[in-house]
């Protein structure tokens, strides 16, 4: 069933004698002489307008069509007399594959709230907003691979099931085949030697540790895959299942890491502006006015690098009444992050050199023995979208940090081996894919930038 995507059809530079499209009816309107049907096939935001005249062979079929029905149409693509559209389709043949009951179809023309649409996520891809989000997700994915491939990074695959509970202690989803009603118990504890992997297993919270192992053999690598966190935070920026991009560079420092992050984000933003113009105009007009200009100005200015210590000093003299008190040593809360990037710097910033107490064990100690070579990229409207660091490459220091943080080095013998044999400076970061999409589109809630969100209490569809 050969058909033309509507996006290609609307881009045509000449009339077409025969053009076949297929899609779903968005709206239907009748005048005295004509029936106007708007068809969308997901390939672009704009619908193609099908005009059926009284007396046309498919007039009777067209009259009975409902919003939501799927249709397959062959006709002539002709210049449209209507304002705002170049082409319209005059059908010779109209097949209805599946009609939609107009009483119960939930996506009638009126505007629906994002909350309501989340309840019907199975049909939500047929809305303008989710359609645009999905096309942007597609292009950003393409941009991510293109960026790293052009730079010679190797795309690697890290496991999704893990038995090392690394930094995510307490916020991991357990994976088990044990019978939950009949657990094998030894000395009051569950005996995981009977479990599928012979050990307690969980879904990964990050591919980083394995990413490091691969970087310390292959050079620059990146992963791009799903990540799972069972944190019970019902925020507009957290999902229980989200996608993360994690590059890791061998023979690299924190400086290299910051430069890579900035270049990477700018590459993605440029890509989206170049390739998703229609969808970006939609977000700019309907979701967050100014978002396009915002992206454009970010591409041409440089990110500000600020130390955690300086950021704390700036926050302390802010007149803003923060919910969480600011003190050197605290983990920056979203309100702090957003004040810094939105109110103080008014552009993306990279905060570096965080206190070691609030960061993971694998981050490289600075000489002050208080801070580590960490970096977080904060952007207006979202806050943190990237978290990264130079990794501790010194065996002894790494062991000390693990012990200080209550981790058992024996559990990480394999990770530590890379520091015993041919250790090298290396650095990397994690970009939350959905946070990036949120930033690009201006969408308020992270649940609306992924087709089927998983959040506490909800994993429907
Ligand atoms: P936050 O403090 O915002 O919860 P984090 O410090 O836990 O984030 P990292 O462990 O540094 O996050 O993970 C790297 C990136 O992954 C973050 O910068 C963010 O973009 C993204 N991310 C982290 N947790 C989530 C989540 N629950 N949902 C969506 N994206 C997330
Ligand atoms: Mn972080």
């Amino acid at each position: 069933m050969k058909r033309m995507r509507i996006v290609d059809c609307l881009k045509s530079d000449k009339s077409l004698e025969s053009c076949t499209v297929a899609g779903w009816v968005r709206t239907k309107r009748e005048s005295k002489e004509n029936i106007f049907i708007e068809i969308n096939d997901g390939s672009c935001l704009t619908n193609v307008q099908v005009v059926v005249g009284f007396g046309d062979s498919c007039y009777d079929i067209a009259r009975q069509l409902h919003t939501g029905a799927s249709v397959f149409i062959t006709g002539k693509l002709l210049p449209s007399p209507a304002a705002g559209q170049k082409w319209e389709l005059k059908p010779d043949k109209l097949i209805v594959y599946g009609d939609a009951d107009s009483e119960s179809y939930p996506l009638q023309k009126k505007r629906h709230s994002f909350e309501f649409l989340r309840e019907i996520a199975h049909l939500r891809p047929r809305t303008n907003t989710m359609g645009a989000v999905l096309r942007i997700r597609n292009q950003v994915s393409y941009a991510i691979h293109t960026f790293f491939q052009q730079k010679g990074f190797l795309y690697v695959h890290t496991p999704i099931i893990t038995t090392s509970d690394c930094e995510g202690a307490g916020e991991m989803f357990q994976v088990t085949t044990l019978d939950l009603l009949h657990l094998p118990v030894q000395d009051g504890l569950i005996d995981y030697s009977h479990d599928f992997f012979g050990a307690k297993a969980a879904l990964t919270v990050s591919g980083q540790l394995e990413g490091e192992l691969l970087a310390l053999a292959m050079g620059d690598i990146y992963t791009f895959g799903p990540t799972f966190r069972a944190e019970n935070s019902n925020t507009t920026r957290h999902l229980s299942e989200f996608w993360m991009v994690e590059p890791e560079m061998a023979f690299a420092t924190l400086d290299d890491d910051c430069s890579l992050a900035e270049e990477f984000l700018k590459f993605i933003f440029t890509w989206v502006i170049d390739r998703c113009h229609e969808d970006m105009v939609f977000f700019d007009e309907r979701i967050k006015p100014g978002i396009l200009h915002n992206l454009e100005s970010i591409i041409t200015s440089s990110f500000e690098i600020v130390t955690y210590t300086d950021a704390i000093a700036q926050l302390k003299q802010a007149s803003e009444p923060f919910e969480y008190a600011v003190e050197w040593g605290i983990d920056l809360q979203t309100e702090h992050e957003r004040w810094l990037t939105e109110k103080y710097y008014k552009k993306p910033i990279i905060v570096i050199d965080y206190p070691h107490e609030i960061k993971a064990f694998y981050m490289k100690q600075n000489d002050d023995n208080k801070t580590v070579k960490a970096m977080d990229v904060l952007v207006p409207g979202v806050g943190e979208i990237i978290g990264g660091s130079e990794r501790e490459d010194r065996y002894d220091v790494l062991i000390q940090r693990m012990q200080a943080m209550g981790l058992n080095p024996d559990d990480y013998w394999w990770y530590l081996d890379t520091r015993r044999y041919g250790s090298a400076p290396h650095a990397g970061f994690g970009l939350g894919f959905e946070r990036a999409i949120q930033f690009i589109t201006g969408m308020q809630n992270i649940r609306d930038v992924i087709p089927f969100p998983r959040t506490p209490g909800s994993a429907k569809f």
Side-chain angles (χ1 to χ4, degrees), residues 359 376 384 386-388:
K359 288 292 182 187
D376 277 5
E384 178 187 334
I386 283 180

Side-chain angles (χ1 to χ4, degrees), residues 109-127:
K109 194 170 161 64
K110 77 182 180 86
R111 261 186 121 163
H112 301 286
S113 73
F114 290 129
E115 288 75 16
F116 169 72
L117 291 174
R118 263 173 241 148
E119 297 299 315
I120 52 160
H122 58 303
L123 295 171
R124 188 169 66 154
R126 297 186 187 183
T127 62

